[in-house]
Coordinates of all heavy atoms in Angstrom, one line a residue:
P36 N 43.4 32.0 -22.0 CA 43.5 33.0 -23.1 C 43.8 32.3 -24.5 O 44.6 31.3 -24.5 CB 44.6 33.8 -22.8 CG 44.7 33.7 -21.2 CD 44.4 32.2 -21.0
S37 N 43.2 32.8 -25.6 CA 43.5 32.4 -26.9 C 44.5 33.3 -27.5 O 44.3 34.5 -27.6 CB 42.1 32.4 -27.7 OG 42.4 32.3 -29.0
V38 N 45.6 32.7 -28.0 CA 46.6 33.5 -28.7 C 46.8 32.9 -30.1 O 47.1 31.8 -30.3 CB 48.0 33.5 -27.9 CG1 49.1 34.2 -28.6 CG2 47.7 34.0 -26.5
Q39 N 46.7 33.9 -31.1 CA 46.8 33.4 -32.4 C 47.8 34.2 -33.2 O 47.7 35.4 -33.0 CB 45.4 33.3 -33.2 CG 44.5 32.3 -32.6 CD 43.2 32.4 -33.4 OE1 43.0 33.2 -34.2 NE2 42.3 31.5 -32.9
I40 N 48.6 33.7 -34.1 CA 49.6 34.5 -34.9 C 49.1 34.6 -36.3 O 48.5 33.6 -36.8 CB 51.1 33.8 -34.8 CG1 51.9 34.6 -35.6 CG2 50.9 32.4 -35.4 CD1 53.4 34.1 -35.5
H41 N 49.1 35.9 -36.7 CA 48.6 36.2 -38.1 C 49.7 36.9 -38.9 O 50.3 37.9 -38.4 CB 47.3 37.0 -38.1 CG 46.2 36.4 -37.5 ND1 45.3 35.7 -38.3 CD2 45.7 36.4 -36.2 CE1 44.3 35.3 -37.5 NE2 44.6 35.7 -36.2
V42 N 50.2 36.3 -40.0 CA 51.2 36.8 -40.7 C 50.6 37.5 -42.1 O 49.8 36.9 -42.6 CB 52.3 35.8 -41.1 CG1 53.5 36.4 -42.0 CG2 52.8 35.1 -39.8
S43 N 51.2 38.6 -42.4 CA 50.6 39.3 -43.6 C 50.7 38.3 -44.8 O 51.7 37.5 -44.9 CB 51.3 40.6 -43.9 OG 52.7 40.4 -44.1
K44 N 49.9 38.5 -45.8 CA 49.9 37.7 -47.0 C 51.1 37.7 -47.8 O 51.6 38.9 -48.0 CB 48.6 38.1 -47.8 CG 48.4 37.0 -48.9 CD 47.0 37.4 -49.6 CE 46.9 36.4 -50.7 NZ 45.5 36.7 -51.4
G45 N 51.7 36.7 -48.2 CA 52.9 36.6 -49.0 C 52.7 36.9 -50.4 O 51.6 37.3 -50.9
P46 N 53.7 36.9 -51.3 CA 55.0 36.4 -51.1 C 55.9 37.3 -50.1 O 55.6 38.5 -50.1 CB 55.6 36.2 -52.4 CG 54.9 37.3 -53.2 CD 53.6 37.5 -52.6
Y47 N 56.9 36.7 -49.6 CA 57.8 37.4 -48.6 C 59.2 37.4 -49.3 O 59.7 36.5 -49.9 CB 57.9 36.6 -47.3 CG 56.6 36.2 -46.8 CD1 56.1 34.9 -46.8 CD2 55.7 37.3 -46.2 CE1 54.8 34.5 -46.2 CE2 54.5 36.9 -45.8 CZ 54.0 35.6 -45.8 OH 52.8 35.3 -45.2
Y48 N 59.8 38.6 -49.2 CA 61.1 38.8 -49.9 C 62.1 39.3 -48.8 O 61.8 40.1 -47.9 CB 61.0 39.9 -51.0 CG 60.1 39.4 -52.1 CD1 58.8 39.9 -52.2 CD2 60.6 38.4 -52.9 CE1 57.9 39.5 -53.3 CE2 59.7 38.0 -54.1 CZ 58.5 38.5 -54.2 OH 57.6 38.1 -55.2
K49 N 63.4 38.9 -49.0 CA 64.5 39.3 -48.2 C 64.6 40.8 -48.2 O 64.6 41.5 -49.3 CB 65.8 38.7 -48.8 CG 67.0 39.3 -48.1 CD 68.3 38.8 -48.8 CE 69.5 39.7 -48.3 NZ 70.6 39.6 -49.2
G50 N 64.7 41.5 -47.1 CA 64.9 42.9 -46.9 C 63.6 43.8 -47.0 O 63.6 44.9 -46.8
V51 N 62.4 43.1 -47.3 CA 61.1 43.8 -47.4 C 60.3 43.5 -46.1 O 60.0 42.4 -45.7 CB 60.3 43.3 -48.7 CG1 59.1 44.1 -48.7 CG2 61.2 43.5 -49.9
P52 N 60.0 44.7 -45.4 CA 59.2 44.5 -44.2 C 57.9 43.8 -44.4 O 57.2 44.1 -45.4 CB 59.1 45.9 -43.6 CG 60.0 46.8 -44.4 CD 60.3 46.0 -45.7
M53 N 57.5 43.1 -43.4 CA 56.0 42.5 -43.4 C 55.5 42.6 -41.9 O 56.3 42.8 -41.0 CB 56.3 41.0 -43.8 CG 57.1 40.3 -42.8 SD 57.4 38.6 -43.3 CE 55.9 37.9 -42.7
E54 N 54.2 42.5 -41.9 CA 53.6 42.6 -40.5 C 53.2 41.3 -40.0 O 52.7 40.3 -40.7 CB 52.3 43.5 -40.8 CG 51.6 43.7 -39.5 CD 50.5 44.7 -39.5 OE1 49.7 44.6 -40.6 OE2 50.1 45.4 -38.7
V55 N 53.5 41.1 -38.7 CA 53.0 40.0 -37.9 C 52.2 40.5 -36.8 O 52.6 41.4 -36.0 CB 54.3 39.2 -37.3 CG1 53.9 38.0 -36.5 CG2 55.3 38.8 -38.4
Q56 N 51.0 39.8 -36.6 CA 50.1 40.3 -35.6 C 49.9 39.0 -34.6 O 49.6 37.9 -35.1 CB 48.7 40.7 -36.2 CG 48.8 42.0 -37.0 CD 47.5 42.4 -37.5 OE1 46.4 41.7 -37.3 NE2 47.4 43.6 -38.0
I57 N 49.8 39.3 -33.5 CA 49.4 38.4 -32.3 C 48.1 38.8 -31.8 O 48.0 39.8 -31.1 CB 50.5 38.3 -31.2 CG1 51.9 38.2 -31.9 CG2 50.2 37.2 -30.3 CD1 52.1 37.1 -32.8
H58 N 47.1 38.0 -32.0 CA 45.7 38.3 -31.5 C 45.5 37.5 -30.2 O 45.7 36.3 -30.1 CB 44.6 37.8 -32.6 CG 44.7 38.6 -33.9 ND1 43.7 39.4 -34.2 CD2 45.6 38.8 -34.8 CE1 43.9 40.0 -35.4 NE2 45.2 39.7 -35.7
I59 N 45.1 38.3 -29.2 CA 44.9 37.8 -27.9 C 43.4 38.0 -27.4 O 42.9 39.0 -27.5 CB 45.7 38.4 -26.8 CG1 47.2 38.5 -27.4 CG2 45.8 37.8 -25.5 CD1 47.9 39.6 -26.8
E60 N 42.7 36.9 -27.0 CA 41.4 36.9 -26.5 C 41.3 36.2 -25.2 O 42.1 35.4 -25.0 CB 40.4 36.3 -27.6 CG 40.2 37.1 -28.8 CD 39.3 36.4 -29.7 OE1 38.2 35.9 -29.2 OE2 39.5 36.3 -30.9
G61 N 40.2 36.5 -24.4 CA 40.0 35.9 -23.2 C 40.8 36.3 -22.1 O 41.1 35.5 -21.1
I62 N 41.3 37.5 -22.1 CA 42.1 38.1 -20.8 C 41.3 39.3 -20.3 O 40.2 39.7 -20.8 CB 43.5 38.6 -21.3 CG1 43.3 39.6 -22.4 CG2 44.3 37.3 -21.8 CD1 44.8 40.2 -22.8
E63 N 41.8 39.7 -19.2 CA 41.1 40.8 -18.4 C 41.5 42.2 -19.1 O 42.4 42.3 -19.9 CB 41.5 40.8 -17.1 CG 41.2 39.6 -16.2 CD 39.7 39.4 -16.0 OE1 38.9 40.4 -15.8 OE2 39.2 38.3 -16.2
R64 N 40.8 43.2 -18.8 CA 41.0 44.6 -19.4 C 42.3 45.1 -18.8 O 43.1 45.7 -19.6 CB 39.9 45.4 -19.0 CG 40.0 46.8 -19.4 CD 38.9 47.7 -18.9 NE 37.7 47.6 -19.7 CZ 37.0 48.5 -20.1 NH1 37.2 49.8 -19.8 NH2 35.9 48.3 -20.8
S65 N 42.6 44.8 -17.6 CA 43.8 45.4 -17.0 C 44.3 44.4 -16.0 O 43.6 43.6 -15.5 CB 43.6 46.7 -16.3 OG 42.7 46.5 -15.2
P66 N 45.6 44.3 -15.8 CA 46.7 45.1 -16.4 C 46.9 44.8 -17.8 O 46.5 43.8 -18.3 CB 48.0 44.8 -15.6 CG 47.7 43.5 -15.2 CD 46.2 43.4 -14.9
E67 N 47.5 45.8 -18.6 CA 47.6 45.5 -20.1 C 48.7 44.4 -20.2 O 49.6 44.3 -19.5 CB 48.2 46.9 -20.6 CG 48.1 46.9 -22.0 CD 48.5 48.4 -22.5 OE1 49.7 48.8 -22.5 OE2 47.6 49.1 -23.0
P68 N 48.4 43.5 -21.1 CA 49.4 42.4 -21.3 C 50.7 42.9 -22.0 O 50.7 43.8 -22.6 CB 48.6 41.4 -22.3 CG 47.7 42.3 -23.0 CD 47.4 43.5 -22.1
S69 N 51.7 42.1 -21.8 CA 52.9 42.3 -22.4 C 53.3 41.2 -23.5 O 52.9 40.0 -23.3 CB 54.1 42.4 -21.5 OG 54.3 41.1 -20.8
C70 N 53.8 41.6 -24.6 CA 54.1 40.7 -25.7 C 55.6 40.6 -25.9 O 56.3 41.6 -25.8 CB 53.6 41.1 -27.0 SG 51.8 41.6 -27.0
S71 N 56.2 39.4 -26.1 CA 57.6 39.2 -26.2 C 57.9 38.0 -27.1 O 57.0 37.1 -27.2 CB 58.4 39.0 -24.9 OG 57.8 37.9 -24.3
A72 N 58.9 38.0 -27.8 CA 59.4 37.0 -28.7 C 60.9 36.9 -28.6 O 61.6 37.9 -28.3 CB 58.9 37.3 -30.1
E73 N 61.3 35.6 -28.9 CA 62.9 35.5 -28.9 C 63.4 36.1 -30.2 O 62.8 36.3 -31.2 CB 63.1 33.9 -29.2 CG 62.7 33.2 -27.9 CD 62.9 31.7 -28.1 OE1 63.6 31.3 -29.1 OE2 62.3 30.9 -27.2
D74 N 64.7 36.5 -30.0 CA 65.3 37.2 -31.1 C 65.6 36.1 -32.2 O 65.8 34.9 -31.9 CB 66.7 37.8 -30.7 CG 66.5 39.0 -29.9 OD1 65.5 39.7 -30.0 OD2 67.5 39.3 -29.1
S75 N 65.6 36.5 -33.4 CA 65.8 35.7 -34.6 C 67.0 35.9 -35.4 O 67.3 37.2 -35.6 CB 64.6 35.8 -35.6 OG 64.7 35.0 -36.7
E76 N 67.7 35.0 -35.8 CA 68.9 35.1 -36.6 C 68.5 35.3 -38.1 O 69.4 35.9 -38.9 CB 69.8 33.8 -36.5 CG 70.4 33.7 -35.1 CD 71.2 32.4 -35.0 OE1 71.3 31.7 -36.0 OE2 71.6 32.1 -33.9
S77 N 67.4 35.0 -38.5 CA 67.0 35.1 -39.9 C 66.3 36.4 -40.1 O 65.7 36.5 -41.3 CB 66.2 33.9 -40.4 OG 64.9 34.0 -39.6
G78 N 66.2 37.4 -39.2 CA 65.7 38.6 -39.6 C 65.4 39.5 -38.4 O 65.9 39.1 -37.2
T79 N 64.9 40.7 -38.5 CA 64.8 41.6 -37.5 C 63.2 41.8 -37.1 O 62.4 42.1 -37.9 CB 65.2 43.1 -37.8 OG1 66.6 42.9 -38.2 CG2 65.1 44.1 -36.7

Side-chain angles (χ1 to χ4, degrees):
S37 167
V38 180
Q39 297 178 356
I40 182 171
H41 296 269
V42 180
S43 60
K44 190 174 180 181
Y47 311 108
Y48 296 105
K49 173 188 166 200
V51 178
M53 56 183 280
E54 185 174 32
V55 179
Q56 295 183 352
I57 310 303
H58 292 245
I59 311 157
E60 293 183 39
I62 61 174
E63 299 296 323
R64 178 186 279 224
S65 64
E67 202 170 71
S69 64
C70 305
S71 60
E73 295 176 16
D74 289 336
S75 174
E76 295 176 5
S77 62
T79 305

